Amino acid sequence: AILRTRPRPIPASWDPHWPGRAVFVTAIALVAWSLVAEPWALTGDALVYLQMAAGETVQAPFGFRVLAPWIAGILPMAPVLAFELLSWASLLVAAVALVAFARASAEPAEADRRGWIVLAFFVTSYALVYYATASVRVDPLALALLAGCLALLATGRSAGWVALLMVPTALAHETALVLVPILWLDRLCGAGLLGRRRLSWGALLGITTVGAAAYLASRALLPAAAPEGQVSYLTTPSAILAHVIAHVGGVVKHGQRIYAAYGPALVYAALAGVALMRGRARLFVPGVLALGVGLTLLATDTLRVMAVLFPVVLLFAAQLVEVAWTRRGPALAVALVGAQAV
């Protein structure tokens, strides 16, 4: 019974062809970026994930991110090609889910425009460009699951399905569980992230419980080796912050890397979250961005950590462009998109 849901009425402006068009545009972007990108060497994380695809046990936290290496390991092709295929497929799914989420957050008459603006931001974002060109990564599958969960909730599907998806999400990459605090912030602030839908406290608690259980179970049951020579808040709480800041090149460089994860879209999202919202809803976007910045202090991959916020950042950035077009005319909107393209 928890998985049962009522069918939603189809809006008069519904375009049945938008998923195919979103896939086509994203596929063109994937090919284009792969042609102009510099080649990535198979070092660091990539070598660890290739070991996992071959069935070897590796150190934590890599050893807990088993879903993508397992899929790559069972595909009938060379492991590197399998990872590349999985990454591209995941990014295509993420694009469709992101557009579905964006469309559901808008009024029916505005759904097409918002969906295309968000897709334009996505195909020029770090989240797509990096993972389209880095051969062996596990993050794209996690991003697809994250966007898929938001799309399911925004389009009225049962929260029970999303709770079940917390299990593969935790096994893909733990950072995708950022969905849980985002949903809590949305509920507490009344930001309307899911459009007309408002999650009940019971549904939110169910998603949180399954997500936390999946995370803890993966740590307890998966045979990951103990990390060697790594600092963390659990082992050396006084050293980890200094380690992260020193690794990225100082506080100023760290701030530049946070901005570089999105470019002007990050500023657009922040402005939209404050200027276009009312009351406590104004706290939502700053809260999500603060959450992302906090997570960057747990790891040295600043841009990759910030990338998990892409559904929220790109949605609110698109809303600012929409309002600029409506209130100030197309020139300002085009300038905003042009600045992002540059």
Side-chain angles (χ1 to χ4, degrees):
I2 190 174
L3 300 180
R4 188 175 301 161
T5 183
R6 297 178 181 177
R8 301 184 71 194
I10 298 177
S13 60
W14 175 259
D15 175 10
H17 304 295
W18 73 259
R21 292 169 180 165
V23 168
F24 177 77
V25 170
T26 307
I28 293 298
L30 290 171
V31 172
W33 285 119
S34 67
L35 292 175
V36 302
E38 297 179 6
W40 289 94
L42 292 177
T43 60
D45 296 8
L47 296 179
V48 176
Y49 295 132
L50 287 173
Q51 288 179 274
M52 293 176 66
E56 300 180 27
T57 298
V58 301
Q59 67 180 23
F62 307 103
F64 301 129
R65 303 162 186 167
V66 296
L67 187 56
W70 175 75
I71 295 175
I74 64 174
L75 290 176
M77 60 190 70
V80 174
L81 180 59
F83 271 104
E84 291 175 339
L85 178 63
L86 180 59
S87 291
W88 279 39
S90 297
L91 291 170
L92 290 172
V93 171
V96 173
L98 179 64
V99 175
F101 165 61
R103 290 172 61 91
S105 72
E107 295 297 323
E110 309 296 330
D112 280 338
R113 181 171 64 183
R114 180 170 298 181
W116 284 114
I117 295 173
V118 168
L119 183 62
F121 279 143
F122 181 61
V123 298
T124 55
S125 71
Y126 173 85
L128 183 132
V129 175
Y130 176 70
Y131 294 120
T133 56
S135 297
V136 180
R137 291 291 184 268
V138 301
D139 309 63
L141 183 56
L143 298 184
L145 288 165
L146 171 61
C149 288
L150 285 169
L152 289 173
L153 291 173
T155 54
R157 302 308 189 271
S158 171
W161 290 114
V162 175
L164 292 178
L165 282 175
M166 289 294 95
V167 177
T169 300
L171 296 177
H173 200 297
E174 65 277 6
T175 55
L177 292 176
V178 72
L179 171 68
V180 172
I182 286 176
L183 292 177
W184 277 98
L185 279 171
D186 176 54
R187 186 66 172 84
L188 292 170
C189 297
L193 179 68
L194 304 177
R196 296 182 182 86
R197 183 168 191 180
R198 183 183 176 92
L199 276 183
S200 68
W201 292 112
L204 189 54
L205 185 60
I207 292 171
T208 303
T209 300
V210 177
Y215 175 83
L216 294 174
S218 68
R219 267 57 188 168
L221 301 177
L222 292 175
E228 299 178 359
Q230 292 185 350
V231 293
S232 71
Y233 280 112
L234 296 178
T235 58
T236 50
S238 61
I240 182 61
L241 181 61
H243 169 74
V244 170
I245 296 300
H247 182 87
V248 300
V251 175
V252 174
K253 188 72 171 182
H254 187 62
Q256 291 174 332
R257 288 164 65 86
I258 289 172
Y259 172 79
Y262 294 99
L266 187 67
V267 179
Y268 301 166
L271 290 174
V274 174
L276 303 182
M277 307 297 279
R278 296 291 180 268
R280 65 187 183 193
R282 288 179 171 174
L283 300 175
F284 174 68
V285 172
V288 171
L289 296 182
L291 172 65
V293 171
L295 291 175
T296 66
L297 301 177
L298 302 177
T300 54
D301 295 323
T302 308
L303 285 84
R304 290 166 63 184
V305 172
M306 288 295 295
V308 300
L309 306 180
F310 78 103
V312 175
V313 172
L314 301 186
L315 175 67
F316 278 85
Q319 289 182 12
L320 186 75
V321 173
E322 287 183 88
V323 171
W325 186 292
T326 302
R327 297 182 182 178
R328 301 293 182 181
L332 178 58
V334 170
L336 292 173
V337 175
Q340 178 67 17
V342 171

